[in-house]
Amino acid sequence: MSIYRIQAKTQSYDWGKLGDVSKVAHFAQKSGTQVDPSKPYAELWMGTHPNAPSLVMNDAQTPLKDLIQDRPELSTEAIYKQYNGDLPFLFKILSIRKALSIQAHPDKALGARLYRDFPNNYKDPNHKPEMTIALTPFEALCGFRPLEEINQHLSQYPELAALAGTNTFNISSDEAANKAELKKIFDSLMNSTDADVAAQIQNLTSRLQGSDAFMDQLLLRLDSQYPGGDVGVFAALLLNYVELAPGQGMFLGANEPHAYLSGDCVECMAASDNVVRAGLTPKFKDVKVLVEMLTYKYGSAESQKMKPEPFGSHSLLYDPPIEEFSVLATSLNAGEREQHKPIAGPSILIVTRGSGKLTGEQLKTESDFDLEEGYVYFIGANTPIAAEASTSLEFYRAFAQ
């Protein structure tokens, strides 16, 4: 066999959607997870990461990594050796009720240094580029805004200017000078004292009460989710507000600031859990590292979005500029069929809508597999597959090669 149904594990974080309102919980129920309606179900992890490893749905409940180690041909020789029998990616579903932290992920060099010097806070030496594809209307902060917008916000929000140390961004024709100025402003903001932040948040929220302007409402919402004076509220005035419609995606490279705000998404990342946080979180904040690690690139919200390419008749390929993963999105109407040519490396597939059948076509002994919402499959390397929809069918497939 080269296709195995697997059980993915959930992660419960405070920002997750509650109970079966959460797509994470809804999908997890399909493989036997009992759902507590009062518990937040934030993430569904699909892969071999030791914090929540997937299990093969057989009598032995074999860990997916054990299956791959027993049958290395399900991976490739290069991937198997490079990642010590693990998958190079971690595939997830996220269901977001309230904002995640202002954060960035380190590149490989920084990840290795942080792991070496601060192993209690950074659990592995890897980098963590990640990609998000919206399942429902999705909100995020991502990358620094165009400088003209930042200038406008410094003028419009005196509370921001007070913490940033200036009410005017001196825009230059020299990009390096602009990045240096942006770093200076961000540094001043993020290193403001707790007392100063709390005072300016109080001034801000008092002044904005009754306003129906979108940005004012966003700031008030973030403050209500993280009350008491969180500097991350002000970060929303420096970072792009990005809206993704279902099927739209964005890639988050190393050392780029971002925060997810609401919605459900498919997410894929390098198999790491390294996060450098600095706001909108009760967790450990590492402001100094975050300020120093960022690239300070700036640009429009639209520039953050990916442009997928056609793959087959009914699929789109989201192919970020990294080696660890790519993702296919397939959407079929009832009665339609899609074939995926063999992919050189291992992959994981999750059904996010509808029903149908999956066939691994290279093996005469390979039977049909049910495709139902929430079902997750591991597919071995070099396995051509075909899917046929019984109802409107949508699935996502993460792979490495």
Side-chain angles (χ1 to χ4, degrees):
M1 285 182 62
S2 57
I3 300 177
Y4 297 83
R5 190 173 165 206
I6 60 175
Q7 181 182 45
K9 295 182 180 179
T10 63
Q11 298 279 33
S12 178
Y13 307 131
D14 180 61
W15 50 261
K17 292 185 178 180
L18 301 178
D20 56 11
V21 172
S22 166
K23 282 191 178 291
V24 167
H26 179 65
F27 293 161
Q29 279 181 311
K30 299 299 182 73
S31 57
T33 298
Q34 299 296 311
V35 172
D36 179 346
S38 64
K39 179 180 176 180
Y41 291 85
E43 298 187 352
L44 186 72
W45 285 28
M46 298 168 281
T48 58
H49 195 288
N51 287 358
S54 297
L55 305 175
V56 179
M57 294 183 66
N58 56 17
D59 291 341
Q61 291 282 281
T62 305
L64 179 57
K65 182 172 182 177
D66 289 359
L67 172 70
I68 296 171
Q69 288 183 329
D70 289 342
R71 295 188 56 201
E73 72 273 13
L74 293 172
S75 185
T76 68
E77 183 177 1
I79 290 174
Y80 188 88
K81 288 181 177 179
Q82 183 174 353
Y83 298 98
N84 299 313
D86 278 306
L87 296 178
F89 60 83
L90 177 60
F91 202 26
K92 295 183 180 182
I93 301 293
L94 272 61
S95 292
I96 300 164
R97 176 174 55 92
K98 69 175 189 177
L100 280 68
S101 57
I102 304 293
Q103 61 183 260
H105 304 302
D107 58 26
K108 287 187 176 181
L110 178 58
R113 180 171 65 80
L114 293 174
Y115 175 65
R116 181 194 68 211
D117 295 343
F118 308 104
N120 290 335
N121 296 321
Y122 301 100
K123 303 301 185 182
D124 61 71
N126 201 10
H127 69 161
K128 190 186 176 186
E130 62 188 32
M131 181 172 65
T132 296
I133 306 170
L135 292 174
T136 61
F138 192 83
E139 299 177 290
L141 302 174
C142 183
F144 285 100
R145 292 174 177 271
L147 302 182
E148 294 79 9
E149 291 184 19
I150 293 175
N151 224 345
Q152 180 182 347
H153 284 164
L154 287 169
S155 173
Q156 185 177 349
Y157 297 93
E159 301 85 3
L160 170 66
L163 297 176
T166 182
N167 58 10
T168 303
F169 192 115
N170 298 310
I171 300 175
S172 168
S173 58
D174 181 352
E175 183 178 3
N178 287 333
K179 288 183 176 182
E181 179 79 0
L182 186 52
K183 180 179 180 180
K184 181 179 177 182
I185 289 172
F186 189 70
D187 188 357
S188 178
L189 171 65
M190 301 309 290
N191 281 295
S192 300
T193 67
D194 291 345
D196 286 346
V197 171
Q200 294 301 338
I201 287 281
Q202 179 61 45
N203 293 341
L204 179 77
T205 55
S206 297
R207 187 171 63 81
L208 299 186
Q209 292 300 324
S211 170
D212 59 1
F214 175 80
M215 183 52 64
D216 295 350
Q217 287 294 310
L218 175 60
L219 296 173
L220 291 170
R221 190 208 320 174
L222 294 176
D223 177 64
S224 71
Q225 293 175 353
Y226 294 92
D230 193 304
V231 71
V233 173
F234 288 108
L237 295 170
L238 300 181
L239 303 182
N240 281 302
Y241 172 80
V242 181
E243 288 183 295
L244 299 179
Q248 289 186 315
M250 62 182 182
F251 173 68
L252 305 168
N255 304 325
E256 297 297 340
H258 60 277
Y260 298 154
L261 301 181
S262 72
D264 303 273
C265 71
V266 173
E267 185 182 57
C268 198
M269 62 190 61
S272 168
D273 205 24
N274 277 334
V275 180
V276 183
R277 301 178 181 88
L280 300 181
T281 181
K283 295 182 179 180
F284 170 70
K285 300 175 185 178
D286 203 340
V287 174
K288 180 179 179 181
V289 169
L290 186 77
V291 169
E292 289 302 319
M293 71 189 283
L294 298 182
T295 67
Y296 295 97
K297 294 178 184 176
Y298 50 88
S300 69
E302 284 300 310
S303 70
Q304 307 297 325
K305 298 179 182 179
M306 298 186 71
K307 294 181 180 179
E309 301 173 358
F311 185 98
S313 302
H314 304 281
S315 301
L316 293 173
L317 171 64
Y318 298 80
D319 191 21
I322 54 166
E323 65 178 12
E324 285 90 346
F325 63 83
S326 300
V327 174
L328 288 170
T330 300
S331 183
L332 301 171
N333 295 319
E336 291 183 334
R337 191 170 188 270
E338 177 73 318
Q339 292 179 279
H340 286 178
K341 61 187 178 182
I343 291 174
S347 62
I348 290 179
L349 180 155
I350 181 168
V351 182
T352 53
R353 187 182 70 240
S355 60
K357 293 288 184 182
L358 174 71
T359 305
E361 294 188 322
Q362 92 287 14
L363 295 176
K364 292 182 180 179
T365 58
E366 197 88 86
S367 59
D368 287 344
F369 297 86
D370 290 332
L371 294 176
E372 299 287 345
E373 192 171 282
Y375 280 28
V376 184
Y377 289 96
F378 171 76
I379 302 171
N382 298 304
T383 303
I385 65 168
E388 186 167 348
S390 303
T391 64
S392 177
L393 176 68
E394 177 185 81
F395 59 85
Y396 288 83
R397 183 183 182 188
F399 65 92
Q401 60 181 353

